[in-house]
């Protein structure tokens, strides 16, 4: 067997190797930014759907139909005000479980002890306090004043939804856009450290936040012309880290950031650039 030629040992002929020259090094490095996706979690339980309400109503009827009667004569003195009050509450619970139109009538404290339309004694707030009970406060409304006024800067708005902090400031090209709080990295700095520092620089020190993890959850690489890459020093990469707000509020300095808003996922989409939205839409909650 004859030994292999030099061309076959190299794996290609000189003509073939000369047809695919090696790419020239551009000399540009990656420019890395750290951005914070600051989340305010829901503060209210979600309103049940029609199916969920029907299911809970069915389970309530089944429970009321199968439970053992409560021995009122053991726990209450016959004919006492507490026994009559418990009977009234049981009547309301029966109506809640098995349906029917009913209303709870509230009495003013100035009115004396009386009898309602069912013949049950009704106690005033002072009399209930004398019986060792605290007056029951009505629940707060689920719709906040911020929702009625359209105040997007309030953390109390949209209590059932996840809200995200969006700020209005300059991007890499100096254009004023809506974006998440972000900034560059310093020498020997980790992403999560830069994210906290940049959040404080753009949104103030009146925020108590918690970075969920040290690893990014998304990355955005804008398509830049060669002139912009050379001006920046290389390809631009923005890494997003998730965080939660525990207390406080945004206080922008008016220089780097001129405005801010707490928005839902649907409200963010029309404000940001299309390529920016494509990079962050999958990390935002639909609820």
């Amino acid at each position: 067997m004859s030994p292999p030629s030099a061309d076959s040992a190299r794996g290609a002929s000189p003509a073939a190797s000369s047809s695919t020259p090696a790419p020239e090094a551009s000399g540009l490095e990656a420019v890395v930014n750290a951005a914070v996706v600051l989340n305010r979690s829901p503060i209210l339980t979600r309103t049940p759907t029609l199916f969920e309400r029907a299911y809970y109503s069915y389970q309530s009827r089944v429970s009321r139909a199968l439970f053992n009667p409560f021995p009122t004569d053991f726990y209450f003195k016959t004919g006492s005000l507490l026994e009559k009050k418990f009977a009234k509450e049981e009547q309301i619970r029966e109506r809640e479980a098995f349906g029917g139109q009913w209303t709870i009538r509230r009495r003013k404290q100035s009115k004396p002890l009386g009898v309602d339309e069912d013949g049950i004694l009704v106690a005033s707030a002072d009399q209930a306090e004398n019986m060792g009970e605290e007056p029951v406060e009505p629940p707060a409304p689920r719709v906040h004043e911020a929702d009625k006024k359209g105040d997007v800067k309030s953390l109390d708005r949209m209590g059932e939804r996840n809200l995200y902090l969006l700020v209005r400031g300059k991007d890499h090209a100096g254009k004023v856009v809506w974006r998440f709080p972000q900034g560059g990295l310093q020498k020997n700095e980790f992403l999560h450290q830069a994210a906290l520092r940049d959040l404080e620089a753009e949104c103030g020190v009146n925020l108590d936040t918690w970075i969920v993890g040290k690893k990014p959850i998304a990355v955005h690489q804008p398509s830049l012309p060669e002139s912009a890459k050379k001006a920046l020093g290389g390809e631009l990469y923005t890494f997003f880290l998730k965080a939660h707000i525990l207390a406080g509020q945004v206080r922008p300095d008016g220089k780097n950031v001129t405005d801010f808003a707490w928005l839902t996922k649907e409200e963010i989409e029309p404000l940001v650039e299309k390529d920016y939205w494509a990079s962050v839409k999958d990390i935002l909650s639909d609820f």
Side-chain angles (χ1 to χ4, degrees), residues 43-115:
I43 56 178
L44 294 177
T45 55
R46 186 170 53 87
T47 301
T49 63
L50 291 176
F51 175 79
E52 290 171 336
R53 279 183 282 179
Y55 174 79
Y56 295 147
S57 178
Y58 170 75
Q59 292 295 331
S60 178
R61 291 195 298 270
V62 171
S63 177
R64 294 291 299 181
L66 297 180
F67 88 112
N68 294 325
F70 186 79
T72 56
D73 55 346
F74 181 81
Y75 290 96
F76 303 109
K77 182 179 179 180
T78 304
S80 64
L81 184 61
L82 285 176
E83 182 188 35
K84 297 180 183 298
K85 184 175 182 291
F86 177 80
K88 176 62 177 179
E89 293 173 349
E90 275 293 286
Q91 191 178 42
I92 293 176
R93 286 189 284 266
E94 285 287 320
R95 292 175 183 174
E96 283 183 325
F98 296 102
Q101 296 182 355
W102 58 277
T103 57
I104 302 178
R105 298 184 177 180
R106 300 183 180 276
R107 287 184 172 270
K108 296 182 179 179
Q109 295 186 8
S110 59
K111 291 188 176 182
L113 183 67
V115 179

Side-chain angles (χ1 to χ4, degrees), residues 22-242:
E24 296 181 358
S26 62
L28 298 178
E29 298 181 355
V31 179
V32 178
N33 284 348
V36 182
V37 182
L38 189 59
N39 171 229
R40 190 227 65 185
S41 300
I43 56 178
L44 294 177
T45 55
R46 186 170 53 87
T47 301
T49 63
L50 291 176
F51 175 79
E52 290 171 336
R53 279 183 282 179
Y55 174 79
Y56 295 147
S57 178
Y58 170 75
Q59 292 295 331
S60 178
R61 291 195 298 270
V62 171
S63 177
R64 294 291 299 181
L66 297 180
F67 88 112
N68 294 325
F70 186 79
T72 56
D73 55 346
F74 181 81
Y75 290 96
F76 303 109
K77 182 179 179 180
T78 304
S80 64
L81 184 61
L82 285 176
E83 182 188 35
K84 297 180 183 298
K85 184 175 182 291
F86 177 80
K88 176 62 177 179
E89 293 173 349
E90 275 293 286
Q91 191 178 42
I92 293 176
R93 286 189 284 266
E94 285 287 320
R95 292 175 183 174
E96 283 183 325
F98 296 102
Q101 296 182 355
W102 58 277
T103 57
I104 302 178
R105 298 184 177 180
R106 300 183 180 276
R107 287 184 172 270
K108 296 182 179 179
Q109 295 186 8
S110 59
K111 291 188 176 182
L113 183 67
V115 179
D116 63 6
E117 65 277 6
D118 297 318
I120 304 298
L121 292 175
V122 179
S124 65
D126 295 336
Q127 291 164 335
E129 185 177 358
N130 293 332
M131 290 187 293
E133 298 182 0
E134 296 182 358
V136 179
E137 295 291 338
R142 297 180 68 86
V143 179
H144 197 267
E145 287 295 327
D147 296 309
K148 299 177 182 178
K149 297 178 181 179
D151 183 9
V152 295
K153 291 181 172 60
S154 174
L155 281 164
D156 295 322
R157 68 183 299 263
M158 304 291 286
E160 300 180 18
R161 298 291 305 275
N162 282 279
L163 297 182
Y164 300 94
L165 174 62
L166 214 64
V167 298
R168 184 172 176 82
K170 294 182 179 180
D171 63 358
H172 58 275
K175 180 182 177 182
V176 178
V177 296
W178 283 98
R179 56 173 175 77
F180 292 110
Q182 67 181 41
L185 271 70
Q186 296 179 354
K187 187 177 180 180
N188 298 327
E189 190 176 34
F190 293 103
L191 280 174
H192 68 281
Q193 295 172 337
L196 283 175
R197 179 180 53 79
D198 296 327
L199 178 65
E200 181 178 323
E202 291 199 334
C203 301
V205 297
N206 298 319
L207 281 174
D208 185 7
T209 58
W210 169 56
I211 297 288
V212 176
K214 298 181 180 180
K215 295 183 179 180
I217 57 176
V219 61
H220 173 57
Q221 181 185 3
S223 56
L224 303 176
E226 290 299 326
S227 58
K229 293 179 183 178
K230 292 181 179 179
L232 290 173
E235 288 280 0
L236 178 62
Y237 297 91
T238 301
F239 291 91
F240 298 91
L241 289 92
K242 187 175 182 180

